[in-house]
């Protein structure tokens, strides 16, 4: 437990000390809010700014969860991870510390954007909504931290990790409905979006932030707050189950991969092409 807490605190300290990164991570998402919020005004979106803000918040949590895994890669390349693992501590504790740290920092970033969003468009009428929003961000942060840690254990080069991360996050973000409603996507891309786990995370989170949980399924479909696949509606309960299943899969994979990774073979060269994917 001491190892988990120590790595968690280390991650938080690194986040707080990186003030430039923190400022840009807060400013940049609002560019999408005003650009896409102005472009995609449609009849079914009651409050375009709040609609976009909810997507921006969950995308921030998602991207932060993956980005923080780059710190794990840096720890591997620098030799820090190897030094930690030669101590009596268990590898699973180190993995849990890395996951908890990434999930916490990504949630904090989401909260900061939410706080700003409360002044420009998001409004809560129930006191329990912020609690549900917080729990959702923590849950989604943990899920995608597992994805990030799994990637980190497979990629053995920090520069390559950044390229792969960008190649993964961009399509997953824009094909999730966070910025562009799924109904506006071409047919082929819409089917790709159905395979995107971020699509379900976005729909679930947006429904909670906009306080639409009381609506009927028909109303949720009309407001694009649930995913409809050729007439089959993925209900909020099914959406939650999908998110939990994805989280369990990647948390298990990342933990197993982390405990079996041979850190002595990690390349310290940033240009070693052979270090990609094991």
């Amino acid at each position: 437990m001491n190892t988990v807490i120590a790595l968690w605190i280390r991650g938080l300290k690194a986040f707080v000390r990186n003030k430039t990164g923190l400022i840009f991570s807060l400013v940049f998402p609002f560019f999408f809010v005003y650009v896409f919020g102005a472009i995609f005004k449609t009849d079914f979106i009651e409050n375009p700014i709040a609609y976009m803000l909810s997507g921006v918040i969950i995308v921030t949590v998602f991207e932060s969860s993956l980005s923080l895994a780059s710190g794990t890669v840096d720890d591997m390349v620098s030799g820090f991870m190897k030094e930690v693992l030669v101590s009596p501590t268990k590898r699973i504790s180190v993995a849990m510390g890395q996951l908890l740290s990434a999930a916490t920092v990504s949630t904090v970033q989401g909260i900061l954007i939410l706080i700003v969003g409360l002044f420009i468009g998001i409004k809560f009428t129930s006191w329990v909504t912020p609690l549900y929003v917080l729990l959702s961000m923590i849950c989604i942060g943990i899920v995608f931290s597992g994805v990030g840690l799994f990637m980190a254990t497979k990629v053995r080069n920090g520069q390559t990790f950044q390229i792969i991360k960008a190649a993964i996050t961009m399509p997953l973000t824009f094909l999730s409905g966070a910025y562009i409603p799924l109904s506006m996507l071409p047919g082929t891309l819409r089917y790709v979006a159905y395979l995107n786990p971020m699509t379900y995370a976005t729909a679930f989170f947006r429904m909670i932030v906009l306080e639409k949980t009381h609506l009927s399924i028909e109303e949720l479909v009309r407001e694009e707050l649930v995913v409809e696949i050729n007439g089959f509606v993925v209900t909020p309960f099914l959406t939650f189950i999908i998110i939990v299943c994805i989280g369990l899969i990647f948390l298990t994979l990342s933990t197993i991969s982390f405990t079996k990774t041979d850190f002595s073979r990690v390349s310290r060269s940033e240009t070693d092409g052979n270090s990609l994917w094991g």
Side-chain angles (χ1 to χ4, degrees):
M1 183 57 72
N2 290 336
T3 302
V4 176
I5 295 174
L7 290 173
W8 177 66
I9 294 175
R10 178 174 177 267
L12 291 180
K13 284 183 177 178
F15 168 68
V16 173
R17 289 173 180 172
N18 186 10
K19 293 182 175 57
T20 303
L22 175 61
I23 292 172
F24 274 94
S25 69
L26 294 178
V27 172
F28 191 66
F30 290 98
F31 167 79
F32 291 100
V33 171
Y34 284 103
V35 171
F36 287 100
I39 293 175
F40 296 107
K41 285 184 177 178
T42 62
D43 293 336
F44 64 85
I45 299 178
E46 184 178 340
N47 186 342
I49 297 299
Y51 187 90
M52 289 303 304
L53 275 171
S54 58
V56 165
I57 291 170
I58 205 59
V59 164
T60 300
V61 173
F62 162 66
E63 291 184 345
S64 298
S65 301
L66 293 185
S67 297
L68 291 166
S70 64
T72 303
V73 177
D74 292 339
D75 288 341
M76 294 177 186
V77 175
S78 68
F80 173 81
M81 192 61 69
K82 187 177 177 180
E83 293 176 4
V84 171
L85 295 177
V86 295
S87 67
T89 187
K90 295 181 180 178
R91 284 196 175 205
I92 192 169
S93 297
V94 178
M96 290 299 105
Q98 297 291 101
L99 285 170
L100 185 61
S101 171
T104 303
V105 171
S106 61
T107 301
V108 169
Q109 285 189 289
I111 291 173
L112 292 175
I113 295 177
L114 174 64
I115 292 173
V116 178
L118 291 173
F119 293 97
I120 61 176
I122 292 179
K123 293 181 180 177
F124 296 141
T125 58
S126 171
W127 67 270
V128 296
T129 301
L131 179 61
Y132 289 148
V133 170
L134 177 62
L135 291 175
S136 300
M137 283 196 284
I138 293 173
C139 178
I140 293 169
I142 291 174
V143 169
F144 289 105
S145 295
V147 177
L149 184 61
F150 178 71
M151 288 170 53
T153 56
K154 295 301 180 184
V155 181
R156 302 183 177 185
N157 182 289
Q159 190 176 28
T160 306
F161 181 85
Q162 294 297 333
I163 296 172
I164 294 176
K165 181 180 74 66
I168 291 176
T169 55
M170 287 295 286
L172 291 186
T173 298
F174 281 95
L175 295 178
S176 68
Y179 298 137
I180 305 172
L182 296 184
S183 62
M184 295 185 177
L185 293 175
T188 304
L189 291 181
R190 202 178 305 159
Y191 283 103
V192 176
Y194 295 151
L195 301 175
N196 179 5
M198 265 300 292
T199 299
Y200 303 95
T202 301
F204 185 77
F205 184 76
R206 179 170 280 148
M207 180 180 58
I208 293 175
V209 172
L210 300 181
E211 296 185 320
K212 301 289 186 179
T213 54
H214 64 283
L215 297 182
S216 64
I217 295 298
E218 291 75 17
E219 290 172 315
L220 290 173
V221 170
R222 187 165 56 250
E223 297 195 22
E224 295 207 31
L225 296 174
V226 291
V227 180
E228 183 183 19
I229 307 173
N230 291 337
F232 175 77
V233 179
V234 183
T235 63
F237 177 74
L238 281 178
T239 303
F240 178 75
I241 295 298
I242 291 172
I243 296 170
V244 170
C245 289
I246 294 170
L248 290 176
I249 290 171
F250 276 99
L251 287 175
T252 303
L253 288 175
S254 62
T255 304
I256 293 173
S257 182
F258 189 86
T259 55
K260 291 185 176 180
T261 297
D262 182 3
F263 291 100
S264 64
R265 296 179 55 200
V266 173
S267 170
R268 292 173 184 251
S269 169
E270 292 188 350
T271 57
D272 185 1
N274 295 325
S275 61
L276 176 63
W277 299 108

